Amino acid sequence: MTAAIATAQGVGHTRIHGIGAFRPSRIVTNDEICEHIDSSDEWIRTRSGIIERRFAEPHETVQMMSVEASRKALQRADVDPGQIDCVIVATVSHLLQTPAVATLVAEELGCTPAPAFDISAACAGFCHGVSLASDMIRSGNGKYVLVIGVERLSDITDPTDRGTAFIFADGAGAVVIGPADVEGIGPVVWGADGSKFDLIRQNETWIDVLDMEEPEMPTLRMDGNPVFRWASFEMAKVAREALDRAGMTVDDLDVFVPHQANMRIIDAMARALKLPEHVVIARDIAYQGNTSAASVPLAAAALLESGEAKSGDTALFIAFGAGLSYAAQVVTLP
Ligand code: COA
């Protein structure tokens, strides 16, 4: 008789045990951005809410920023690198196609031989990673999982492109996810709409670049206004669904951490959700710009560091971007 395959034995609940952030040292003002585009500090502030952002210096690589953010998350979680059963890196700006940067991050941290891989879901990548990690632990395929959102978008942004030059920025955020006595990560609501693939994308494929007479590094292009409308209206519905699936209403929330794409999108979502006054809203975009996969963990870490949010608070995470793709979940802050 054929032996039956054993089922992995998981746990009932998961939570975020620790969070860490890395913000590059170089501050870039709107005036510096306007040296290359026809714009103004006032236009950028009023249309996007961005006052300044940070660009990585040469030594602040995707690997280095990931390791620094992860060390803080591991320390705060009181988990040793050797206890990590998987390392997931969400990024679109590690410019070596293969192998995954997660393997180098895991090796430098001391997590080897934990499995390590990258995921590409653009700005929604970190929230995808949180869901994957939580499900791995629930299903018994690991106890502690490190999830990192990291970008060096300054490498793939055209400083002369008026539609993107003032938006994108660099940084890293990391969380350690593990088992819990009570639920700390709600059901994910996620999806993708490939019919809107062209709205935010790398302008050329590497093959196209090879065919050019004067090859140029591919950069990001965005059709900002349709993305703005999609994010402001459709994403509030996704956020509400994530609350419903967690069995909660806006009154149960302490903190709202949306992807830091544009301050006006954050305000529109807060209005559409009818967030009560007591809910703290992450507005990290003012000083960090849009850091894609890093934006949600950076914004959550900033609220915890400033004391505006505290450990044990109930937060709604929602991230969205190229794909178009999105993911949202209710979590307990570490
Ligand atoms: N500086 C000055 N003026 C600019 C400009 C810039 N950098 N970029 C565009 N404009 C002008 C346009 O030419 C247009 O002028 P006109 O009215 O004379 O034609 C006007 O500003 C409005 O342009 P529009 O593109 O409609 O602006 P907007 O209100 O949509 O704001 C974004 C532009 C990019 C800030 C906004 O669309 C946005 O934030 N989109 C979403 C970004 C996002 O969420 N990305 C998510 C995934 S990463």
Side-chain angles (χ1 to χ4, degrees):
M1 204 175 93
T2 315
I5 297 173
T7 304
Q9 296 301 315
V11 298
H13 310 296
T14 60
R15 71 178 171 95
I16 300 174
H17 286 255
I19 185 166
F22 179 85
R23 299 175 186 89
S25 45
R26 190 162 98 77
I27 294 171
V28 178
T29 63
N30 289 339
D31 286 340
E32 184 178 335
I33 296 292
C34 294
E35 288 169 17
H36 308 283
I37 55 170
D38 176 16
S39 190
S40 66
D41 175 47
E42 205 226 326
W43 190 93
I44 296 172
R45 281 179 194 238
T46 52
R47 304 306 287 173
S48 72
I50 299 172
I51 296 168
E52 63 187 32
R53 76 286 290 138
R54 286 167 183 250
F55 284 178
E57 295 284 16
H59 72 283
E60 293 167 331
T61 62
V62 167
Q63 179 182 344
M64 180 271 200
M65 294 194 288
S66 300
V67 167
E68 292 298 315
S70 299
R71 285 199 173 122
K72 288 181 201 153
L74 286 161
Q75 193 191 7
R76 289 181 188 142
D78 199 17
V79 169
D80 290 330
Q83 292 174 269
I84 292 293
D85 296 312
C86 184
V87 177
I88 301 174
V89 175
T91 188
V92 296
S93 51
H94 182 244
L95 299 183
L96 186 77
Q97 192 101 37
T98 194
V101 71
T103 63
L104 283 175
V105 173
E107 172 66 12
E108 191 176 342
L109 287 169
C111 306
T112 304
F117 56 89
D118 299 351
I119 53 174
S120 174
C123 304
F126 173 79
C127 291
H128 280 64
V130 167
S131 172
L132 290 175
S134 174
D135 289 350
M136 263 181 217
I137 297 159
R138 267 179 234 282
S139 66
N141 285 319
K143 186 171 178 191
Y144 291 108
V145 178
L146 180 61
V147 180
I148 301 157
V150 58
E151 302 290 2
R152 260 180 75 105
L153 294 174
S154 58
D155 286 337
I156 53 169
T157 301
D158 176 353
T160 67
D161 177 41
R162 213 167 170 232
T164 54
F166 62 95
I167 292 181
F168 295 126
D170 306 338
V175 291
V176 175
I177 296 179
D181 296 333
V182 293
E183 196 50 74
I185 300 179
V188 69
V189 176
W190 51 358
D193 180 357
S195 73
K196 297 185 171 65
F197 184 89
D198 286 330
L199 290 182
I200 314 170
R201 57 168 289 176
Q202 182 175 313
N203 59 345
E204 309 283 358
T205 70
W206 291 107
I207 301 290
D208 296 337
V209 168
L210 285 177
D211 286 341
M212 288 177 181
E213 264 177 39
E214 289 179 34
E216 271 184 20
M217 174 91 173
T219 48
L220 294 171
R221 287 292 178 276
M222 178 169 69
D223 195 353
N225 201 262
V227 177
F228 183 90
R229 282 183 275 116
W230 171 80
S232 300
F233 301 110
E234 299 303 317
M235 290 303 98
K237 294 180 204 159
V238 171
R240 203 171 295 117
E241 207 182 322
L243 276 171
D244 285 348
R245 292 206 63 206
M248 293 191 160
T249 72
V250 284
D251 295 323
D252 301 308
L253 276 184
D254 301 304
V255 187
F256 179 48
V257 190
H259 170 45
Q260 304 291 295
N262 183 316
M263 197 70 90
R264 288 156 54 219
I265 295 176
I266 296 170
D267 289 337
M269 288 177 72
R271 275 195 306 274
L273 284 167
K274 298 189 174 63
L275 292 183
E277 264 189 25
H278 74 264
V279 176
V280 175
I281 301 173
R283 297 183 181 284
D284 205 38
I285 187 167
Y287 294 98
Q288 301 301 324
N290 177 342
T291 56
S292 190
S295 102
V296 165
L298 275 175
L303 290 178
L304 288 164
E305 285 162 17
S306 70
E308 288 167 89
K310 58 184 191 314
S311 175
D313 276 355
T314 301
L316 172 59
F317 285 177
I318 177 163
F320 44 84
L324 296 176
S325 58
Y326 56 87
Q329 63 263 111
V330 175
V331 304
T332 304
L333 292 178

